[in-house]
């Protein structure tokens, strides 16, 4: 059922976005359907054995576990540095990626750390 909710919700979201630009296609009903379908997934995530605690800790305590901070920063910086040094030829794009990575790092580190 989760897969069906995702598929139908995504199609509904796409139709809602198209409705913004096409005058005969309604936007609001599709976005309401998307919200309803995705809310079932949200409830599933909150009660999930592995994902639920992360979401609840963030919502209730505005805090991130130390392990999650370390893993996310290591993966992000590894990917960014690989792109900067091996994939991207334009210097301004390299600088932009570095600034984005720095901003994300600051954002993640600004949250309290759960022990």
């Amino acid at each position: 059922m989760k897969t069906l909710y995702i598929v139908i919700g995504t199609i509904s979201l796409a139709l809602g976005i198209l409705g913004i630009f096409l005058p005969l296609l309604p936007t609001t009903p599709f976005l309401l359907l998307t919200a309803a379908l995705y809310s079932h997934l949200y409830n599933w995530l909150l009660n999930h054995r592995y994902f639920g605690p992360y979401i609840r800790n963030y919502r209730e305590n505005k805090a991130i576990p130390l392990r999650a901070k370390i893993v996310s920063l290591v993966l992000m910086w590894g990917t960014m540095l690989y792109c900067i040094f091996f994939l991207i030829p334009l210097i301004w794009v390299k600088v932009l990626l570095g600034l984005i990575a720095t901003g994300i790092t600051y954002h993640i580190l600004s949250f309290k750390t759960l022990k």
Side-chain angles (χ1 to χ4, degrees):
M1 284 303 284
K2 289 184 287 272
T3 304
L4 183 63
Y5 286 153
I6 291 171
V7 170
I8 295 173
T10 304
I11 291 169
S12 176
L13 179 61
L15 289 172
I17 291 170
L18 281 175
I20 295 170
F21 304 104
L22 301 174
L24 295 177
L25 192 63
T27 299
T28 306
F30 287 118
L31 294 180
L32 290 173
L33 176 61
T34 301
L37 291 169
Y38 284 176
S39 72
H40 290 290
L41 296 172
Y42 181 71
N43 291 332
W44 172 77
L45 276 173
L46 280 179
N47 296 317
H48 192 273
R49 179 178 174 186
Y50 298 110
F51 305 135
Y54 287 103
I55 297 169
R56 284 191 301 276
N57 282 331
Y58 177 77
R59 288 186 61 194
E60 295 167 7
N61 305 319
K62 295 289 187 221
I64 301 172
L66 180 62
R67 181 175 167 7
K69 282 185 175 185
I70 292 170
V71 169
S72 62
L73 290 175
V74 166
L75 289 174
M76 183 206 48
W77 275 103
T79 303
M80 287 292 204
L81 291 174
Y82 178 77
C83 290
I84 289 170
F85 290 116
F86 299 110
L87 295 180
I88 307 296
L90 302 172
I91 190 70
W92 68 270
V93 176
K94 292 180 180 192
V95 170
L96 182 62
L97 286 176
L99 290 173
I100 290 170
T102 302
I104 292 170
T105 300
Y106 175 77
H107 179 70
I108 290 172
L109 293 178
S110 68
F111 287 102
K112 293 184 284 186
T113 302
L114 286 175
K115 308 277 188 281

